[in-house]
Amino acid sequence: MLNPLLVEGQSESAYGPVEGPYAAQSATGTKTDTPLIETPQSISVIPSLRLEKQGATSLSEALRYSSGITGENRGGVVSRYDMFNIRGFDIQRGYLDGLIQPYNGWYNAPQADTAMIERVEILKGPASVLYGNATPGGLVNLVTKKPSTVDGGRVTLGAGTNNLIEGTVDMTGSLDENGEFSYRFIGAGRSQDGQAVTTEEERRLFAPSLTWAPTDATNITFLGFYQHDPESGAYGSAPVLGTVLDNPLGNLSADFYDGDAGWEEFNRKQYGAGYIFSHDFDEVWSFRQNFRYDQLGTDYKSVYANGLQADNRTLNRASIYSDEYTRAFAVDNQLTARFETGAVDHLMLGGLDYQYMNSDIEVGYGGAPGKDIYNPDHNQTIPPIPMFSNTNIKTNQTGFYLQDQMQWNGFTLMLGARQDWYERESFEQLSSARSNLEQDELTLRTGLLYKFESGFAPYIAYTESFEPQTATDASGQPLDPSLGEQVEVGIKYEAPNERAFFTFSLFDLKKTNVATDDPNPAAPPNASIAAGEVTSQGFEIEAQLELVDGWNIAAFYTLLDLEITKSNDGFQGKMPLSVADETASLWTDYTISEGSLGGLTLGGGARYVGETQVDQANTLQTDPYTLFDAMVSYDLGRVSPQLQGTSLQLNGTNIFDKEHVTSCYNALWCWFGAERQVKLTLAYEW
């Protein structure tokens, strides 16, 4: 007789690491731990392991391999912000662990380093039913790394092009024998030259966390982080002549700099502290509360391009500064109930959330001397800048939502509704001007999915969103919120062996009540009416699979038709800026486990981005481009037992150093994409 063998396992959690070749769970789309195959809406998940293999250190870099997204809209020079759009609509509000990150709409915008991110989750289409005020394109939720009761860690040291030096540390484990207390500490530091000449980038990150699990039913995790970016490249651009169009005097290079080295400044500090609490009362009722307090401050100065003179070489310029500081907090209370009514299983969610933000924004505008773009002087005298405005903005949002996920014989029916109350108060101290905005909105969501035993799951869904507007009508009253509504049909497939997951989706998305010019001749200047409309139609394909042990493939394709369908501004029938009509990408990596090459991993990818519009009249487009990336890593423990846990990894992005323009705002401002970057990383893991 043999002694009993006890095997313990744990399925993937929507809040933790991805255990297989792809993510099977997500909480972003439902705020419940729901399998993606049972969620009637398109959701993408990028796990931290893929971020490590691709060498991504920002959200912009993480989104290079995904569907429905036109990313890196400000190219490689502007790396301080993650600027992208989903299904054609700009995303300006990010989420961290399901809670909104503070952003006041100017230059004081947060950016999270991927060193503390466990998974990137992309919800496509309107999401107001769960999150309130949101663009109709969707949202991105960053899930942070949490403590584990299993002792372990990872330390890295990297060096690369542009004088890159970086290091990270990630340690976790139990603080007692019973695993009641566990911790995690994440630190990261980075220094490199910016893509624009004379500029630099620096970052320091500390992110501690502590979990207390007094019982199997109760868990609270305290989370904190501090991130300081004392330097962050540039926010400049290049004129269309010499980038998209040939300049008779010669074209510009991707490291072009329109600013001034002595005037350039960007110093950002981010603080965050909060907790995630959960408690299971019994097999039916559970409660979850997320809370985070944020502080975000940015000092910013720059000289920027303002048009090319007739000699095709003298660049007109202007100057700007801003001092901004934001205090914010958000809390989300979720009560769930699992029960049955006859043959129907219910997962009912009721929630109440609140967001508050208080921002002080001082801005000044001034002049600057011109610059010879072919013989540049990067150290000129910039005149002092007068203050233009000094504004305090307070916003708060309260939302109450209900959702029911019902399952019966393979069918999943999702119904959701939310009522929001939004307030915005602005006070401009120089003019003593005040403005107040109070709006409320009801949004709905429904979806139906059927999962066949073969693994196929067709679905259809309808979702809504809303965004408050500060534009005013002829009487000076704020316009009603802009609204988003989407009909999406698609099919998902999960292989029985859990080695493949596919999603195909067709969508028809509209943004209505968009501010557009008031056509009444008697209306005052800048008066608007909420009669504009933007339509986004297209389809997306995602495929993630493990063909054989160690060989992973992720493929993505998007075809998008975006059009301004109603407008009094003269742009009806045109396509908005910075949106590619077509994108495609493919990433694959293979790890050799046996033989003389055992421990070697080879990976690479290709990403294609179609044309984007240069101007609102759609008279000029950027050129499509295809970029190639590669990686190779080796487990040094295969060489010597003393090197167990040690590895080397070499990453290269845009390995053929293709010069390309990612987007333009008009003929004044275009942005070069990131140049070739190479990085070698030494890692030790235990």
Side-chain angles (χ1 to χ4, degrees):
M1 293 288 293
L2 299 177
N3 293 327
L5 177 64
L6 178 62
V7 179
E8 294 183 348
Q10 184 177 1
S11 61
E12 177 190 326
S13 166
Y15 308 100
V18 174
E19 303 296 339
Y22 60 87
Q25 307 279 122
S26 169
T28 300
T30 60
K31 288 191 176 179
T32 60
D33 202 340
T34 301
L36 290 173
I37 193 66
E38 297 176 4
T39 305
Q41 192 167 346
S42 181
I43 302 172
S44 302
V45 179
I46 305 172
S48 60
L49 181 58
R50 193 194 304 170
L51 301 181
E52 292 174 6
K53 289 180 178 179
Q54 295 173 357
T57 58
S58 69
L59 177 59
S60 290
E61 295 176 356
L63 296 177
R64 287 171 172 171
Y65 292 89
S66 55
S67 67
I69 292 178
T70 303
E72 297 180 280
N73 290 341
R74 293 293 175 93
V77 171
V78 183
S79 60
R80 63 183 62 163
Y81 304 124
D82 299 308
M83 306 183 74
F84 59 96
N85 57 67
I86 302 178
R87 293 185 172 175
F89 296 95
D90 289 339
I91 306 300
Q92 296 182 336
R93 295 160 55 88
Y95 288 79
L96 187 68
D97 288 325
L99 297 176
I100 191 71
Q101 293 179 283
Y103 176 50
N104 58 34
W106 288 72
Y107 302 100
N108 195 27
Q111 185 183 54
D113 195 281
T114 58
M116 68 179 203
I117 301 305
E118 188 65 70
R119 45 205 285 159
V120 178
E121 303 199 341
I122 309 162
L123 174 61
K124 301 171 189 176
S128 287
V129 167
L130 291 179
Y131 297 94
N133 168 23
T135 180
L139 60 85
V140 173
N141 180 35
L142 304 178
V143 180
T144 58
K145 296 176 180 177
K146 309 297 190 303
S148 171
T149 56
V150 179
D151 293 342
R154 189 170 189 262
V155 177
T156 72
L157 180 64
T161 52
N162 294 332
N163 294 316
L164 169 67
I165 295 293
E166 67 176 13
T168 68
V169 57
D170 181 358
M171 301 184 297
T172 187
S174 179
L175 294 173
D176 62 293
E177 295 182 356
N178 300 323
E180 183 175 339
F181 293 92
S182 54
Y183 79 97
R184 191 157 196 162
F185 176 79
I186 297 169
R190 185 177 304 109
S191 175
Q192 65 179 359
D193 295 336
Q195 180 165 308
V197 294
T198 79
T199 64
E200 297 179 353
E201 299 178 7
E202 293 182 28
R203 171 167 292 172
R204 295 184 283 272
L205 167 70
F206 303 95
S209 56
L210 175 70
T211 293
W212 178 36
T215 69
D216 292 339
T218 304
N219 183 293
I220 184 169
T221 297
F222 299 95
L223 300 158
F225 73 90
Y226 166 78
Q227 183 175 304
H228 184 200
D229 302 327
E231 301 284 349
S232 192
Y235 197 53
S237 60
V240 70
L241 203 62
T243 54
V244 178
L245 296 176
D246 291 334
N247 189 319
L249 301 180
N251 291 336
L252 301 174
S253 62
D255 62 357
F256 175 77
Y257 179 49
D258 62 347
D260 187 274
W263 186 259
E264 188 77 50
E265 180 182 351
F266 188 84
N267 187 355
R268 175 176 56 194
K269 293 182 180 179
Q270 304 176 64
Y271 308 82
Y275 61 83
I276 300 174
F277 171 78
S278 64
H279 177 71
D280 297 331
F281 295 100
D282 49 38
E283 294 182 355
V284 177
W285 295 98
S286 299
F287 177 74
R288 182 180 177 90
Q289 184 182 74
N290 292 8
F291 172 85
R292 190 178 67 251
Y293 173 80
D294 289 290
Q295 290 187 10
L296 179 63
T298 301
D299 297 326
Y300 161 62
K301 291 195 307 183
S302 76
V303 175
Y304 61 93
N306 202 22
L308 198 61
Q309 295 183 11
D311 63 1
N312 292 333
R313 67 182 305 149
T314 303
L315 190 67
N316 296 325
R317 300 191 301 167
S319 58
I320 184 175
Y321 84 86
S322 76
D323 294 329
E324 306 179 45
Y325 185 68
T326 294
R327 287 92 46 210
F329 72 87
V331 60
D332 186 11
N333 303 281
Q334 305 164 19
L335 183 65
T336 60
R338 298 177 182 271
F339 59 94
E340 299 176 357
T341 56
V344 179
D345 295 327
H346 294 260
L347 176 53
M348 182 79 76
L349 169 69
L352 177 66
D353 62 23
Y354 179 77
Q355 306 168 10
Y356 173 81
M357 184 171 66
N358 187 337
S359 300
D360 295 310
I361 308 164
E362 180 184 323
V363 179
Y365 298 101
K371 190 174 196 176
D372 186 338
I373 60 176
Y374 297 107
N375 185 26
D377 181 357
H378 300 308
N379 291 277
Q380 301 187 53
T381 300
I382 309 300
I385 295 179
M387 184 189 303
F388 175 77
S389 66
N390 190 355
T391 309
N392 175 260
I393 300 176
K394 297 184 178 73
T395 63
N396 67 81
Q397 173 186 283
T398 303
F400 173 71
Y401 55 91
L402 286 172
Q403 176 181 272
D404 193 7
Q405 297 169 250
M406 295 166 277
Q407 291 188 329
W408 174 76
N409 286 347
F411 284 99
T412 296
L413 174 64
M414 182 182 297
L415 300 175
R418 176 183 175 114
Q419 178 65 48
D420 274 290
W421 296 268
Y422 175 87
E423 297 180 5
R424 182 182 190 272
E425 178 183 336
S426 175
F427 175 62
E428 208 292 301
Q429 299 183 35
L430 298 185
S431 63
S432 297
R434 293 183 182 272
S435 65
N436 293 283
L437 174 65
E438 295 185 11
Q439 296 182 337
D440 58 85
E441 193 64 39
L442 174 69
T443 49
L444 304 174
R445 176 191 195 188
T446 182
L448 179 65
L449 176 146
Y450 183 77
K451 182 181 177 182
F452 291 92
E453 292 184 0
S454 60
F456 286 95
Y459 69 91
I460 182 171
Y462 171 80
T463 51
E464 295 180 344
S465 66
F466 86 100
E467 291 177 278
Q469 301 192 91
T470 56
T472 56
D473 60 17
S475 63
Q477 295 300 310
L479 300 182
D480 290 339
S482 65
L483 305 176
E485 57 179 27
Q486 174 184 269
V487 176
E488 177 179 324
V489 296
I491 186 169
K492 302 182 180 185
Y493 172 74
E494 185 176 36
N497 62 2
E498 298 183 346
R499 284 195 170 189
F501 193 92
F502 298 87
T503 301
F504 172 81
S505 58
L506 282 162
F507 58 89
D508 185 348
L509 173 59
K510 290 183 180 179
K511 182 178 181 179
T512 59
N513 277 13
V514 178
T516 186
D517 288 347
D518 189 333
N520 186 351
N526 301 321
S528 302
I529 59 174
E533 181 182 270
V534 181
T535 299
S536 175
Q537 298 175 323
F539 70 87
E540 301 164 353
I541 302 173
E542 288 197 13
Q544 302 185 68
L545 62 155
E546 185 180 29
L547 289 181
V548 297
D549 289 343
W551 186 9
N552 300 296
I553 296 177
F556 312 89
Y557 178 77
T558 303
L559 184 65
L560 185 64
D561 180 12
L562 185 70
E563 182 182 349
I564 300 173
T565 46
K566 294 181 182 179
S567 174
N568 296 328
D569 304 336
F571 302 118
Q572 185 168 332
K574 305 302 181 181
M575 185 175 186
L577 306 178
S578 304
V579 180
D581 58 347
E582 188 178 20
T583 60
S585 56
L586 171 69
W587 174 268
T588 182
D589 56 73
Y590 179 64
T591 300
I592 302 173
S593 58
E594 304 293 340
S596 59
L597 297 178
L600 178 68
T601 299
L602 301 174
R607 38 195 170 100
Y608 168 83
V609 179
E611 65 180 26
T612 66
Q613 301 299 324
V614 171
D615 59 340
Q616 290 180 306
N618 291 184
T619 60
L620 183 64
Q621 296 78 37
T622 61
D623 291 331
Y625 57 88
T626 302
L627 308 177
F628 296 91
D629 308 319
M631 67 82 69
V632 57
S633 69
Y634 185 67
D635 179 4
L636 297 177
R638 298 298 185 100
V639 177
S640 169
Q642 286 73 28
L643 297 177
Q644 188 71 33
T646 308
S647 63
L648 269 177
Q649 179 170 310
L650 181 66
N651 283 89
T653 57
N654 188 12
I655 57 177
F656 298 114
D657 204 20
K658 180 177 179 59
E659 191 171 281
H660 58 288
V661 175
T662 58
S663 70
C664 297
Y665 189 72
N666 51 34
L668 302 180
W669 301 310
C670 295
W671 290 274
F672 283 108
E675 300 175 296
R676 176 173 55 216
Q677 295 177 314
V678 179
K679 178 173 65 176
L680 180 65
T681 303
L682 175 66
Y684 174 67
E685 189 168 353
W686 68 94

